[in-house]
Amino acid sequence: MLHPRILVPVAAAFAFLGLALFIASGRSFAFDQSLVLLFRESDDLATPIGPAWFREAMRDVTALGSFVGLGMMTITASLTLWLCRYRHLAVGLAVTVVSATIVSTGLKIAIGRERPDIVEHAALTFTASFPSGHAFLSAVTMLSIAGFVGLASRRDDIARLCIVLAWLMIVLIGVSRIYLGVHWPTDVIGGWCLGIAWSSLATAVLGRRMAEADPPDAGSVAAR
């Protein structure tokens, strides 16, 4: 029987592939429209549900999954690993996120799914819809940071804490994209699935190799 650490990313990869092929063929899911409308005022589809402060908070949350937000997280985590002498892990983390960003752009161009057109967008958009770049790249960035920091710390409790915090932000960012009307739910689900597969592979293969390449006393400089 496959270990969950293998089964989950494999299942996520196949789920993404199935969604991508289904959507690329021009078909759609009925629940996509229902869930987008669920976040809108019934008498005014141009307005997301909730008070004005909540709508602004959701825009702030979605900004965490932007190129700027995730870029700052990646730079901060990579520099921290570098300064703690985990230099191979630092480079590996940067490569993981940058390569995922390139793939995200390529997939959007190749599939070319239109953004939701049944509600007014509450945030600006510039690219195609599938997969959600915010969902995919936030999953890759935050789960990879959690995985690489876990490898550097060599402590399961720190790794688990990082993963829990990462998933909290990943889910909030993904839901914010649907709430703001800029993505179909399946865009977000597809992004999450690909992000799980990408970050898991990066941590298991690239991360572990980079951790072995770093000196065994790396990180001790931070304690002195």
Side-chain angles (χ1 to χ4, degrees):
M1 185 175 180
L2 290 177
H3 192 282
R5 289 185 179 179
I6 298 175
L7 181 60
V8 171
V10 168
F14 277 104
F16 169 77
L17 181 60
L19 274 174
L21 292 174
F22 190 90
I23 291 169
S25 68
R27 289 177 285 183
S28 60
F29 295 86
F31 72 86
D32 266 341
Q33 180 171 321
S34 300
L35 287 180
V36 169
L37 293 176
L38 185 64
F39 288 107
R40 294 291 161 143
E41 298 288 353
S42 58
D43 57 346
D44 181 12
L45 295 182
T47 305
I49 59 174
W53 66 263
F54 184 75
R55 294 194 291 272
E56 190 61 27
M58 292 301 278
R59 292 189 185 95
D60 291 339
V61 169
T62 211
L64 295 173
S66 66
F67 286 121
V68 175
L70 296 176
M72 291 302 297
M73 293 180 201
T74 303
I75 291 171
T76 301
S78 296
L79 285 178
T80 300
L81 288 170
W82 184 275
L83 292 174
C84 290
R85 297 173 62 198
Y86 293 103
R87 295 179 177 175
H88 290 87
L89 278 173
V91 172
L93 177 60
V95 168
T96 297
V97 176
V98 170
S99 59
T101 303
I102 295 172
V103 168
S104 176
T105 302
L107 286 171
K108 284 176 174 288
I109 294 173
I111 297 174
R113 189 185 198 186
E114 295 294 329
R115 297 272 181 168
D117 56 359
I118 57 175
V119 296
E120 182 177 336
H121 296 176
L124 294 177
T125 58
F126 305 98
T127 58
S129 197
F130 185 90
S132 165
H134 279 65
F136 171 41
L137 296 177
S138 66
V140 169
T141 301
M142 296 181 193
L143 292 178
S144 294
I145 289 175
F148 280 50
V149 168
L151 288 171
S153 69
R154 298 178 174 87
R155 288 181 52 179
D156 291 339
D157 56 343
I158 292 178
R160 284 194 295 268
L161 175 62
C162 290
I163 290 173
V164 169
L165 294 176
W167 267 113
L168 175 63
M169 292 309 306
I170 291 166
V171 171
L172 288 175
I173 290 169
V175 171
S176 75
R177 303 307 285 170
I178 304 170
Y179 175 86
L180 295 172
V182 295
H183 274 295
W184 301 109
T186 45
D187 297 334
V188 173
I189 294 171
W192 284 341
C193 288
L194 184 57
I196 291 170
W198 191 282
S199 60
S200 297
L201 182 63
T203 301
V205 179
L206 182 59
R208 292 189 182 280
R209 290 184 179 179
M210 295 297 98
E212 292 172 358
D214 283 317
D217 62 340
S220 59
V221 66
R224 293 200 295 264

